[in-house]
Amino acid sequence: MKPIVVGSLESSDCLITLTPSKTTTITIESIVYDAFGDAIEQVIKQTLKHHGLHDVHVYVQDKGALDYAIEARLTSAIKRYRSEADES
Amino acid sequence: MKPIYYNLNDLFKTLTLFDGMGISFHHHLRNGDAITNLITTEFHHRNLKKLRLFPSAIFPSYHGILTLLKADQVDTITTNYLNGPVADYFAKHGKPNSLKMQTHGGRARAFIEGENKVDIAFVTAPTVDREGRASGAQGKSACGSLGYAIEDVHYASTVVLITDNLVDALDHYQIDGTTVDAILVVESLGDARGIVSGTTSITNDPVGVKIARNATNLIQELGLIKPGFSFQSGAGGISLRVTESIKTLLRDKNITASFFSGGITKYHVDMLEEGLVKTLYDVQCFDLDAIKSIDKNPQHKAISANDYANPNNPHRIIKDLDIVILGATEIDLDFNVNVTTDSYNTIIGGSGGHSDTATDAFVSFIVTPLMKARTPIIKERVNTITTLGKHIDCLITERGIAINPRRHDLLEQLKDSHLDIVSIETLMARAHHYTGSPQKTQPKKQPIGVVEDRDGTIIDTLYTKE
Amino acid sequence: MSRSYLFIPGDVPRMLQNLDVFDADSIIIDFEDSVAIDQKDEARLLTQAFLSKHHFKELDLYIRVNDVSQKTLFEADMQAIKALNIHGIVLPKVTLEALDSVDAFFDRENITFPIIGIIETPLAVLEAQTIAKHKRIQGLLLGAEDLTKDLGTTRTLDAEEILFARSQIVFAAKAYQKEAIDTPYVFVRDEAGLAVDAQRAARLGFTAKASIHPNHVETIHHYFSPSKEAIHEAKRIVAQSKKLNSMRFSLDGSMVDKPVIDRAKALLKRAEKYGVLS
């Protein structure tokens, strides 16, 4: 299965890449990591939990996206990931 | 007649060089400057140690200074502004007490009062005559005003002018030549494309436009646009947008301003040529239009940093300034402003004239987005104080305006205003409503230097990043 | 009643989260033309997530959904937004037939959003009156770019090519007390052109103008706000009515009665809302 890539590297946005993984792993690169790294990680964990997803690697390249945008981008990525997984 | 050299080696043979000496440069050629590199590289090759450097600013292209730092040949750097590789080197490897950040006015004061002791000033001068008179307004490397170099010329023990345009005699000059000791003629002072910064354009970003509109409305409500008023704005996109709005107001109301000061751009020149302002006091030209204008418009006057902003000069221009529009990287609940570092000790600039003009202007305005992406600009405490909060009067963002509570007079004037005026704490809360509260920042590391206010007071400490 | 309707792309966080700083009276979050086909779901999710967290009292929010002939997109858009706290939807490529489909869908799904229909085909211009009359329609918005394509002509600053459409929309809307919203001016940096275009539309009787760039809002407000003279006149009428405690009197030789007084009051209310009263 190909990685799922969603979002953009524009200011206030983020690019999220999902790849299959045995367990949940999260990598965050953010221009606001020092100030908001924990908050970003929390949104990602909550969103994964909400969708009951436990077997992906989440790679976030963040350009200062607010929580709602990270949540929406990840939700979109998860939907695509699921439909790709169903097809294959 | 001054001694004229056509070869760097011949010049250096005549100079007294020693470990611990102080040398100075100006930054009017900005990123196009080849001479600061030429001279500092020569000092590197001659293996001079414990140098004290006094560049008025350091730009990303100044790699010669980086070489000296890496070779441990520098004792201290005293400057008004730095960014790029030299700034990054300081943030990583800066030694204790190796960096002093001054203001433009403070630098002039420190030269005059003997605090900045300079043995040789290397003054890049786009046009020089045989008497050592010099002008920045002409020549293939013209940069306009030489304002930041004038005190170097008057107060350094030895003064060397460096030019790529030697003429027989100059009628109009900014440096009178009396204190000049030698002239070095080179092929080229640098890359003309880098001399003009090219970054001075009006913002069209809708958030920036909103901030500028809020600023213009506030300035109007405060009744500051009246015949004979004076104004200074930086070259930032939002500041220039405010300048453009004021131009429209002056036209509509048929008002003439007395002067604009500081860094001058096309937008200021247009207003001079349209008769909307009587005089431009130019300490630094930001673009080609300003450079052309200073050569042809008699009311576009080049002034020295001393005449511009030295706090101990009773005739300084900015003493009469009504309005100044400035930016901020961070501002805190006490209105202290940081334009020197980011929140994590990376050095990104410096005061320039920020503190000078904020202190002297009748009303100082900070224009900035409330948030840059997810970063709230208002902090509980700024990482580095560039300008003390007591000198900052109004903060204008896209989501509201805060007035420094010290300015009872302004608050009284604005008490019935329709503008969205709130406390700075409320503005910070508005930002956090979107961004969330930031985590606490990392602890300070090794101290590397200080921020000196224009009167010589140390107002903050600079630290390494790692 | 708004003076300005500003389109914001639904899939650009930087614009979305600033939608309240641009001073527009109404915002139209766009899921249609400014969102690429593979980004439609992104726009829905971003808008949903944003509007669930942030609420705007002072601002009327609309969403431009995809047109009803693209059934899957349209229905997915509606499912995504039906629970959101918005003022209404903007429906592209409206015709009577399209409106019937939407009407049936809204009945089925129990959706009550008012609709601003975009008149952007020759058929829609001809049907404008009946469209305006429809109970779900709040206003008509001219989409001149698509319309001129269908007409086989080009848009000019002179705007002769859309004069009939503009007038037709104004008449249809006014006949049924609906809003008449003029087409956006598409040359983003041409402020002088925008001023000419906005003034012309205001003179024809449009109540508002749409825009595709935030920097156009200020100029639009200038031409669509009650004028100083109109405000002054309305103030005099209301004051005189109060003074005489009468709803029927003569002022400067002309007769003033209840509809005139009500109109004056409504104008002052709008002027106050827009901050142009004083």
Side-chain angles (χ1 to χ4, degrees):
Chain A
M1 184 178 158
K2 276 199 295 187
I4 302 295
V5 183
V6 163
S8 81
L9 293 173
E10 302 285 310
S11 173
S12 303
D13 205 347
C14 62
L15 193 71
I16 294 184
T17 309
L18 294 188
T19 42
S21 164
K22 286 217 168 76
T23 56
T24 302
T25 48
I26 300 169
T27 310
I28 300 168
E29 280 170 18
S30 171
I31 57 165
V32 293
Y33 192 84
D34 290 329
F36 295 105
D38 293 350
I40 295 167
E41 190 174 335
Q42 208 183 337
V43 171
I44 291 168
K45 282 184 172 163
Q46 272 173 1
T47 310
L48 289 173
K49 195 175 161 199
H50 179 78
H51 292 276
L53 202 61
H54 306 289
D55 54 356
V56 282
H57 173 61
V58 184
Y59 173 40
V60 182
Q61 290 159 282
D62 171 55
K63 299 291 173 188
L66 301 180
D67 282 350
Y68 86 90
I70 299 169
E71 184 197 315
R73 293 301 194 191
L74 182 55
T75 302
S76 172
I78 291 170
K79 284 172 79 174
R80 289 191 194 189
Y81 182 85
R82 288 240 157 100
S83 73
E84 289 271 322
D86 287 349
E87 279 171 30
S88 56
Chain B
M1 289 282 283
K2 305 287 183 184
I4 297 171
Y5 302 93
Y6 291 88
N7 176 303
L8 188 66
N9 243 322
D10 293 345
L11 166 73
F12 265 68
K13 273 187 232 160
T14 70
L15 297 174
T16 310
L17 305 173
F18 53 95
D19 290 346
M21 70 186 296
I23 56 176
S24 80
F25 308 93
H26 69 73
H27 71 277
H28 284 285
L29 276 72
R30 282 184 283 266
N31 245 341
D33 185 345
I35 300 308
T36 307
N37 286 336
L38 179 77
I39 303 296
T40 46
T41 303
E42 188 63 24
F43 274 83
H44 173 60
H45 291 324
R46 288 169 187 263
N47 203 22
L48 287 144
K49 304 278 194 195
K50 290 198 175 305
L51 294 170
R52 293 173 297 110
L53 307 184
F54 295 87
S56 55
I58 298 175
F59 279 73
S61 66
Y62 291 14
H63 57 78
I65 293 181
L66 187 64
T67 307
L68 286 175
L69 280 166
K70 283 183 174 167
D72 197 22
Q73 291 171 267
V74 178
D75 185 40
T76 57
I77 293 184
T78 303
T79 189
N80 304 351
Y81 182 99
L82 74 158
N83 62 22
V86 173
D88 294 343
Y89 183 87
F90 264 104
K92 278 206 178 79
H93 311 291
K95 292 189 296 185
N97 301 317
S98 59
L99 180 63
K100 185 192 274 185
M101 302 292 294
Q102 294 180 325
T103 70
H104 285 328
R107 183 177 188 270
R109 182 197 56 76
F111 268 81
I112 293 166
E113 295 175 5
E115 288 167 27
N116 287 1
K117 285 197 179 62
V118 171
D119 296 294
I120 307 177
F122 292 95
V123 179
T124 306
T127 297
V128 173
D129 75 7
R130 290 172 187 277
E131 299 297 332
R133 292 183 286 240
S135 166
Q138 297 119 39
K140 64 175 177 179
S141 303
C143 62
S145 177
L146 289 171
Y148 299 131
I150 305 301
E151 283 64 52
D152 304 45
V153 170
H154 287 149
Y155 296 94
S157 307
T158 301
V159 177
V160 178
L161 300 186
I162 300 141
T163 190
D164 56 7
N165 186 34
L166 182 70
V167 297
D168 285 338
L170 265 174
D171 293 334
H172 301 286
Y173 43 83
Q174 298 157 14
I175 291 170
D176 70 10
T178 50
T179 56
V180 170
D181 298 289
I183 298 164
L184 174 66
V185 181
V186 296
E187 189 67 31
S188 167
L189 297 182
D191 178 358
R193 284 168 305 177
I195 295 172
V196 178
S197 64
T199 55
T200 55
S201 64
I202 289 185
T203 187
N204 278 305
D205 167 66
V207 173
V209 169
K210 170 70 181 276
I211 298 164
R213 188 156 65 237
N214 283 347
T216 308
N217 289 340
L218 178 63
I219 290 169
Q220 259 193 296
E221 284 215 11
L222 288 170
L224 294 169
I225 308 290
K226 53 190 177 199
F229 81 104
S230 57
F231 176 86
Q232 178 166 335
S233 67
I238 301 174
S239 300
L240 289 177
R241 186 110 198 168
V242 178
T243 309
E244 275 293 276
S245 310
I246 285 177
K247 176 180 179 175
T248 310
L249 283 176
L250 296 188
R251 268 189 203 145
D252 291 352
K253 298 185 169 186
N254 202 12
I255 288 173
T256 307
S258 60
F259 70 85
F260 299 159
S261 52
I264 299 298
T265 68
K266 170 187 194 300
Y267 306 100
H268 301 91
V269 169
D270 285 350
M271 289 167 82
L272 177 73
E273 292 181 349
E274 204 182 313
L276 298 173
V277 56
K278 286 203 178 103
T279 309
L280 303 181
Y281 292 114
D282 184 341
V283 73
Q284 176 178 28
C285 294
F286 278 126
D287 56 28
L288 209 57
D289 294 79
I291 295 170
K292 281 184 188 150
S293 163
I294 208 167
D295 193 30
K296 71 171 185 212
N297 288 318
Q299 282 310 107
H300 184 163
K301 295 178 191 296
I303 56 165
S304 68
N306 175 36
D307 290 335
Y308 169 52
N310 172 10
N312 293 343
N313 174 359
H315 304 297
R316 65 188 181 279
I317 296 294
I318 58 172
K319 197 161 81 42
D320 298 320
L321 196 56
D322 293 322
I323 301 168
V324 67
I325 313 282
L326 297 162
T329 305
E330 297 183 317
I331 181 166
D332 68 26
L333 297 178
D334 292 324
F335 286 80
N336 295 307
V337 169
N338 175 16
V339 291
T340 306
T341 66
D342 70 4
S343 306
Y344 308 101
N345 293 344
T346 302
I347 301 169
I348 52 159
S351 187
H354 199 288
S355 176
D356 298 316
T357 51
T359 306
D360 268 336
F362 175 56
V363 188
S364 60
F365 298 86
I366 301 293
V367 288
T368 175
L370 187 61
M371 300 165 265
K372 289 177 183 159
R374 193 174 180 162
T375 304
I377 299 306
I378 304 174
K379 316 282 176 180
E380 284 180 22
R381 176 63 54 200
V382 290
N383 185 49
T384 307
I385 298 176
T386 309
T387 298
L388 292 167
K390 64 180 174 183
H391 303 309
I392 301 295
D393 300 319
C394 307
L395 167 64
I396 298 146
T397 76
E398 74 281 22
R399 292 177 184 279
I401 294 168
I403 309 289
N404 192 330
R406 302 170 63 98
R407 290 302 299 258
H408 303 288
D409 56 334
L410 303 184
L411 283 164
E412 176 63 25
Q413 238 184 309
L414 293 164
K415 67 179 193 297
D416 298 321
S417 171
H418 291 296
L419 297 174
D420 186 12
I421 297 169
V422 294
S423 70
I424 193 164
E425 288 81 4
T426 301
L427 276 189
M428 184 168 85
R430 284 181 183 176
H432 289 184
H433 172 69
Y434 285 91
T435 64
S437 300
Q439 293 155 226
K440 292 286 170 234
T441 53
Q442 62 183 23
K444 306 276 189 187
K445 303 282 181 172
Q446 164 110 348
I448 53 173
V450 293
V451 178
E452 184 184 274
D453 209 353
R454 62 180 194 155
D455 60 0
T457 317
I458 304 301
I459 54 173
D460 211 341
T461 307
L462 297 160
Y463 299 89
T464 52
K465 193 176 163 69
E466 282 139 35
Chain C
M1 180 82 91
S2 295
R3 296 164 295 175
S4 54
Y5 287 83
L6 171 63
F7 284 98
I8 298 277
D11 62 342
V12 181
R14 186 175 51 84
M15 295 299 283
L16 208 50
Q17 64 208 34
N18 279 315
L19 56 78
D20 60 324
V21 308
F22 301 134
D23 295 336
D25 293 340
S26 288
I27 295 286
I28 303 171
I29 299 171
D30 189 20
F31 290 180
E32 198 218 11
D33 278 355
S34 60
V35 179
I37 187 73
D38 63 344
Q39 296 296 309
K40 299 287 186 192
D41 207 37
E42 307 270 303
R44 292 179 197 122
L45 287 165
L46 281 165
T47 302
Q48 259 183 330
F50 181 66
L51 293 184
S52 320
K53 280 204 169 78
H54 298 279
H55 306 280
F56 302 95
K57 280 202 305 266
E58 309 270 310
L59 195 59
D60 291 345
L61 293 179
Y62 296 81
I63 290 171
R64 174 161 74 173
V65 294
N66 288 279
D67 78 90
V68 70
S69 75
Q70 310 199 59
K71 195 161 177 289
T72 320
L73 286 181
F74 172 79
E75 292 190 358
D77 288 346
M78 290 311 307
Q79 293 304 341
I81 66 172
K82 67 181 184 186
L84 294 178
N85 183 19
I86 57 170
H87 211 269
I89 66 158
V90 174
L91 186 69
K93 302 191 174 60
V94 76
T95 57
L96 279 177
E97 196 188 337
L99 205 48
D100 282 344
S101 319
V102 175
D103 197 35
F105 180 79
F106 275 25
D107 280 344
R108 227 169 30 242
E109 296 287 326
N110 210 4
I111 296 170
T112 56
F113 290 141
I115 297 170
I116 293 173
I118 307 187
I119 305 291
E120 53 189 331
T121 59
L123 179 62
V125 174
L126 295 174
E127 292 178 345
Q129 180 194 341
T130 326
I131 293 170
K133 191 178 175 184
H134 195 282
K135 65 176 192 301
R136 293 192 191 273
I137 286 286
Q138 172 192 327
L140 304 182
L141 194 162
L142 172 61
E145 300 310 310
D146 282 357
L147 179 63
T148 43
K149 254 179 235 145
D150 278 5
L151 292 175
T153 176
T154 46
R155 282 283 283 121
T156 64
L157 181 57
D158 197 41
E160 210 177 10
E161 69 284 353
I162 56 168
L163 180 59
F164 173 73
R166 275 179 160 171
S167 297
Q168 173 90 342
I169 285 169
V170 168
F171 274 79
K174 297 279 165 106
Y176 299 100
Q177 292 82 48
K178 305 290 172 79
E179 292 176 52
I181 306 158
D182 189 39
T183 189
Y185 189 68
V186 293
F187 303 103
V188 169
R189 295 287 173 86
D190 177 13
E191 291 187 21
L194 170 69
V196 171
D197 200 49
Q199 185 174 34
R200 185 168 289 143
R203 278 185 186 156
L204 284 173
F206 279 97
T207 55
K209 188 169 174 65
S211 72
I212 51 166
H213 197 284
N215 294 357
H216 286 186
V217 170
E218 194 178 12
T219 302
I220 290 175
H221 284 183
H222 178 77
Y223 289 104
F224 287 89
S225 298
S227 69
K228 272 186 189 144
E229 296 73 28
I231 292 168
H232 179 71
E233 189 60 21
K235 277 182 176 167
R236 285 184 63 215
I237 290 170
V238 173
Q240 189 73 0
S241 163
K242 231 180 218 165
K243 191 176 145 196
L244 300 174
N245 194 21
S246 163
M247 298 298 266
R248 196 176 159 80
F249 52 88
S250 157
L251 189 67
D252 302 337
S254 20
M255 210 46 216
V256 173
D257 56 6
K258 187 166 181 301
V260 176
I261 297 165
D262 287 347
R263 214 162 44 232
K265 282 181 179 165
L267 184 137
L268 292 178
K269 213 169 148 189
R270 270 200 300 144
E272 190 178 4
K273 184 182 166 190
Y274 302 150
V276 293
L277 198 51
S278 49

